[in-house]
Amino acid sequence: MTMPNERTRAVIQTGEFLLELARDASLPERIRQDAKFLLRHYPSPDQVLLAGRIEEELDPVVSSMGPVFSSTTES
């Protein structure tokens, strides 16, 4: 089972990976354009961590699923 901090870390690292792809001039233009397109609406690390902070503060009764993200990427 994936823990919220692991999911948070994966989402942040995916954004970093897409940014690397978008900046890598050795890649075909199509790959770089696709990465840029995906990044247009991709959440920043700060936004992901804020979502985690908000979810952690929700009443467990309201959020029966529990937090999806975490306010930290640490275990």
Side-chain angles (χ1 to χ4, degrees):
M1 181 171 131
T2 303
M3 301 302 293
N5 64 313
E6 295 169 328
R7 187 175 301 109
T8 300
R9 185 173 40 254
V11 170
I12 290 171
Q13 288 175 341
T14 300
E16 292 168 354
F17 177 68
L18 287 170
L19 191 56
E20 284 179 39
L21 292 178
R23 293 179 174 170
D24 189 343
S26 70
L27 293 174
E29 181 65 22
R30 174 63 193 242
I31 300 294
R32 290 184 285 141
Q33 288 300 322
D34 285 351
K36 288 177 189 174
F37 176 80
L38 292 170
L39 282 167
R40 287 181 55 211
H41 302 289
Y42 201 85
S44 71
D46 288 340
Q47 290 170 325
V48 175
L49 294 170
L50 176 60
R53 197 171 313 120
I54 291 169
E55 290 175 352
E56 289 168 351
E57 293 176 5
L58 288 177
D59 185 336
V61 173
V62 174
S63 178
S64 61
M65 185 174 78
V68 174
F69 294 115
S70 173
S71 60
T72 180
T73 59
E74 305 300 320
S75 300

